[in-house]
Amino acid sequence: CIRDRDYVQAYQFKDGTYQQFQLTLKKMSTNPPSITDETASLYNLYRNMAHFFRVLGKKRVNLTRDVLQNEDEILESVMQTFYLWATDETADKEKTGQPTLKTLYTYSGFFLNTLAGKSYLFRRNSKIRLLTIYYSTLILDRANDEQLNPAGIDIRPHIEFLLNDLQNQIGLIHQKQYLSRLMQLADKYKLS
C-alpha cells in the first residue's frame, strides 16, 4: 500500500493519508483553476501556473510528485480506479467526498485547454501525460452528454491527438481498451 511507503511516512501527516486525500479533493473542489480567462491578464496566468501550490500547499504537492515518481508501475491502474470511483453516478457524493462532474470538468478543461495545465502535463512522463489527457477527454465527453460544457471546449482535437499518440505509446496495460473507447468517441463526434 502506498501509505506504508517510507517516502510517504516521511511527510508525517498526523491524520493519515486518507484524510489528506479527502482534504485535497475538498480544497481542489472549492478552489478551481480558471479555464476560460487565463490569458486575460498576467495575474490570471500566474495564478493558474501556481494553482496546485496555491491551493494544496508545498507539502501536498511534493507528496503528489513523489507518488508520481515512485509508483510508476501502478499509476495506470490507480488512474483508472480513480476515474471509475470519481464518475460513479450511483454513489452518495456527500458521504464519499467524490468530486462533482462540474469539478471534474473544470480540471479536465484546465489540463486540456489552458497554458498552465498543458505546461504541467509537459513536465510529466509521457504515460502520465497521455492518461491524464485520456481521462480528461472522457470527462469532457460526459460533460457534453450532460450539456455541462460552459467553456465550449472542443473535444475533437483531443480525440485525434490521443488516437495518434496512444497508438505509439509503449508500456500501457490497457492500450487496446483506450483505443477502442477513443474509436467510439471518434464515431460519436463524426471524426474521419
Side-chain angles (χ1 to χ4, degrees):
C1 186
I2 292 175
R3 72 172 178 253
D4 297 329
R5 304 273 201 252
D6 289 340
Y7 72 89
V8 174
Q9 294 296 318
Y11 285 93
Q12 299 177 343
F13 289 116
K14 65 179 179 175
D15 296 330
T17 53
Y18 182 73
Q19 190 66 25
Q20 289 301 313
F21 173 72
Q22 290 293 320
L23 185 59
T24 296
L25 288 177
K26 184 176 181 180
K27 284 179 172 284
M28 289 177 67
S29 294
T30 56
N31 299 290
S34 173
I35 62 170
T36 56
D37 61 350
E38 178 188 57
T39 58
S41 70
L42 278 176
Y43 174 78
N44 289 353
L45 180 60
Y46 287 139
R47 191 168 163 78
N48 255 13
M49 294 296 259
H51 175 72
F52 291 113
F53 271 102
R54 185 174 46 79
V55 172
L56 301 178
K58 184 177 180 178
K59 193 173 181 180
R60 284 187 200 90
V61 168
N62 286 339
L63 173 61
T64 303
R65 185 200 63 224
D66 287 348
V67 169
L68 290 173
Q69 288 174 347
N70 290 294
E71 304 300 335
D72 187 58
E73 300 151 6
I74 63 168
L75 280 177
E76 183 177 355
S77 297
V78 169
M79 289 177 81
Q80 181 181 48
T81 301
F82 179 81
Y83 170 78
L84 293 172
W85 172 79
T87 58
D88 181 1
E89 295 178 6
T90 64
D92 182 350
K93 293 187 184 297
E94 287 290 320
K95 290 182 182 176
T96 62
Q98 290 164 275
T100 63
L101 180 57
K102 182 179 178 181
T103 298
L104 293 170
Y105 167 81
T106 299
Y107 280 93
S108 295
F110 175 74
F111 290 123
L112 295 174
N113 211 45
T114 68
L115 293 173
K118 290 176 183 181
S119 171
Y120 174 82
L121 290 179
F122 279 122
R123 294 190 306 268
R124 303 293 154 250
N125 71 44
S126 62
K127 183 164 73 170
I128 296 299
R129 181 173 53 251
L130 285 174
L131 290 173
T132 301
I133 294 170
Y134 173 76
Y135 286 114
S136 294
T137 302
L138 294 186
I139 290 166
L140 180 55
D141 173 56
R142 187 171 265 193
N144 283 338
D145 288 346
E146 299 287 325
Q147 297 180 345
L148 179 68
N149 186 356
I153 300 169
D154 187 357
I155 194 171
R156 294 170 299 179
H158 303 293
I159 295 169
E160 290 173 338
F161 164 80
L162 284 167
L163 279 169
N164 182 50
D165 279 17
L166 280 171
Q167 287 174 350
N168 299 315
Q169 181 66 34
I170 297 171
L172 291 174
I173 300 166
H174 304 291
Q175 186 173 23
K176 288 181 182 178
Q177 176 187 330
Y178 305 141
L179 291 170
S180 174
R181 181 69 179 113
L182 288 168
M183 290 305 294
Q184 291 171 355
L185 289 178
D187 288 343
K188 179 179 179 178
Y189 290 96
K190 298 178 179 26
L191 299 174
S192 55

